[in-house]
Amino acid sequence: WAATIIILAVVFFWSSSIRLSNWDLLTDSTTGEKIPLAHDPHYFLRIRETLVENNGVLPEYDFMRGPGLNTPWSSEIMPRIVYWTYNIVSSINPELTLKEVNIFSPVLFFGIGILLFFILSYVLTNKKSVALLASIILSFIPTYLYRTMAGFSDHEAIGMVGFFAFLLSCALALKYLD
């Protein structure tokens, strides 16, 4: 188990360093603040900023998205989870901004997801080597790498955590329930 944990930790830190390699590139040259990697993550950041400004409550309509159309806010869970993460992290380190937590959140959820995926693979196969190999492959798949890259704070990273947690709970239920 010690060797497995060490190898998994090395893979996690190596793949996380790849995911964080664009950290400096995500700084706006005009303001010096962190910016998201794509348009959808920018919209979700605006939702998070509105949540912070209104103490966790969104107004009824998003007037910037559809001026005069009474367009409701997106009902994604990701902005609220990053808002809660920001509240926890800011109580530990008040120097971190919401934008920095937003940019880092996909890497955080990747770490949680890869741990759940390793446990799921081990529960399904009862082999540490297979679970380790599967986790290594998942850590470096280009599409998963991009969707869990720093700055891509969309719903994929937290969605995979939920998906792996659901599959793990189903696998454990099938294994231990009669």
Side-chain angles (χ1 to χ4, degrees):
W1 274 107
T4 303
I5 292 171
I6 290 171
I7 293 170
L8 190 62
V10 167
V11 167
F12 169 73
F13 286 115
W14 187 17
S15 64
S16 292
S17 70
I18 293 171
R19 284 170 170 79
L20 290 169
S21 63
N22 65 342
W23 184 262
D24 293 334
L25 299 174
L26 297 171
T27 304
D28 186 357
S29 61
T30 57
T31 63
E33 295 179 343
K34 294 293 181 191
I35 55 172
L37 189 62
H39 294 295
D40 284 349
H42 183 73
Y43 172 65
F44 294 134
L45 173 62
R46 195 165 63 78
I47 294 174
R48 291 175 193 109
E49 290 172 338
T50 305
L51 284 168
V52 169
E53 289 170 4
N54 297 319
N55 296 322
V57 178
L58 287 174
E60 187 175 359
Y61 300 114
D62 182 3
F63 294 109
M64 287 181 71
R65 199 165 121 209
L69 299 177
N70 294 338
T71 307
W73 290 88
S74 173
S75 60
E76 291 273 346
I77 192 171
M78 185 65 179
R80 294 197 183 277
I81 290 178
V82 174
Y83 168 73
W84 296 329
T85 305
Y86 170 70
N87 287 338
I88 293 168
V89 170
S90 66
S91 67
I92 297 169
N93 185 359
E95 293 178 11
L96 288 175
T97 65
L98 174 65
K99 291 183 179 184
E100 290 171 337
V101 172
N102 178 57
I103 298 298
F104 183 75
S105 66
V107 182
L108 172 70
F109 295 128
F110 158 74
I112 296 168
I114 206 67
L115 179 63
L116 289 172
F117 182 74
F118 174 80
I119 296 168
L120 171 66
S121 300
Y122 181 73
V123 166
L124 292 175
T125 63
N126 285 331
K127 293 184 185 271
K128 292 179 282 207
S129 60
V130 173
L132 190 59
L133 181 62
S135 299
I136 291 169
I137 291 170
L138 181 64
S139 295
F140 295 103
I141 289 177
T143 53
Y144 191 60
L145 187 66
Y146 175 70
R147 294 296 183 168
T148 55
M149 184 76 95
F152 199 85
S153 53
D154 210 335
H155 55 270
E156 285 89 351
I158 192 66
M160 293 306 289
V161 169
F163 183 68
F164 294 147
F166 173 74
L167 288 178
L168 179 60
S169 64
C170 289
L172 290 172
L174 288 173
K175 187 173 185 175
Y176 293 112
L177 297 177
D178 291 331

